[in-house]
Amino acid sequence: MPDEIETLLRKAAGERNVIAMGGGLPSPRQFPRRALVEALADVVLQPAPQALQYAWPEGAEGLRERIAEHMRSRGAAVEPDHILVTSGAQQALMVAAQLLCPRGSRILTDPETYPGALELFRARGITPVPWTGAPSPDACAVYVMPAVGNPRGVAMSEEARHGLLASGLPILEDDAYGDLRFDGPGPRPLCADAADRVFFIGTFSKTLAPGLRVGWLVPPERFLEAAVRAKRDADLQANGLGQAIVERYLQGDDFARRLEKLRAFYRRRARRLASGVRRELPGWRFGFPEGGFALWLEPDAPDCPGGELGLLRAAIEEGVSFDPGSGFRPDRASHPLALRLCFSALDPDELAEGARRLARAWRRISARA
Ligand code: PMP
């Protein structure tokens, strides 16, 4: 993220009167706080609490069994021994990138994709390049979100899925939002069809809480040992307390019901924001998402004076912030003008008010044109 945008967003985040529509945070209303406290008490009060002890880098066996069960329910037969528990999906991405992509290599991505992945690739000297579907034998891998993309919130088309599998390239399959499709469980992961070259990346950040820092990686079997070593070198093991809490939580029978509740909750929030935007900014284009936390919007007059930075400044002055589109683009382009608005962490009246404030900022900017 360019320094100026980051400075503006950080400053805005500290201001109580600014409605933060960026960031992609899960709803604080949906953290299963009571269940997490009970799980915490349970694992810490054990006579010899493994949750507080050093453990093996691959992660707790019981948790890996639960993750394997969950992946089976999505149609991917994964053995617990093939799962590496990581500090969130972010570390899973880092381990996969480390194993596949040497400094100086190129990685293919969607034309808009998760900024945290783009930043990670660039920091490791890997150049992200938008994938056109054309053969690219010199690329180290393709980074995709087949079930629910970030920022657009839609699944990869069948055609793109087939094209990707036929490309023969190694694949980083980021399933961060895969359990949060509004219409039910996500599609069969790509790793079920090409386990020998797909690195599957999962997380409990969006479905339980990001503060737990528990995610996972399923690398192709021949990369497993190297992945465990890379993980161990980075931080010895994922947070033992977080792992134990998640494992304990998953032993209850609540997770499937919880996912259903979350899907309905986030769909309602998405509708609310969509109707606010349609009302306040009728010319702006967006597709209604199939899942996830956000809308990707393209204003009707893409040449706004001052560009996205000008719009962000005006928006913050009006009391609303958003994620500028350039952060999602492999080439950092801020044209055509686009932005991400998250509906996930805000209440319905804040969503409506956020859209109103953004429309005021847009009118001010447009008047200058
Ligand atoms: N992938 C995507 C697509 C994400 O949106 C995020 C979080 N914003 C991550 C990975 C990282 O998630 P985690 O908290 O599990 O590290």
Side-chain angles (χ1 to χ4, degrees), residues 24 87-91 93 114 143 145 150 174 176-177 203 205-206 210 213-214:
S87 301
Q90 193 68 21
Q91 189 181 44
L93 254 173
Y114 166 49
Y143 168 67
M145 288 166 266
N150 176 5
D174 185 340
Y177 293 95
T203 182
S205 286
K206 318 291 177 182
R213 305 310 302 138
V214 179

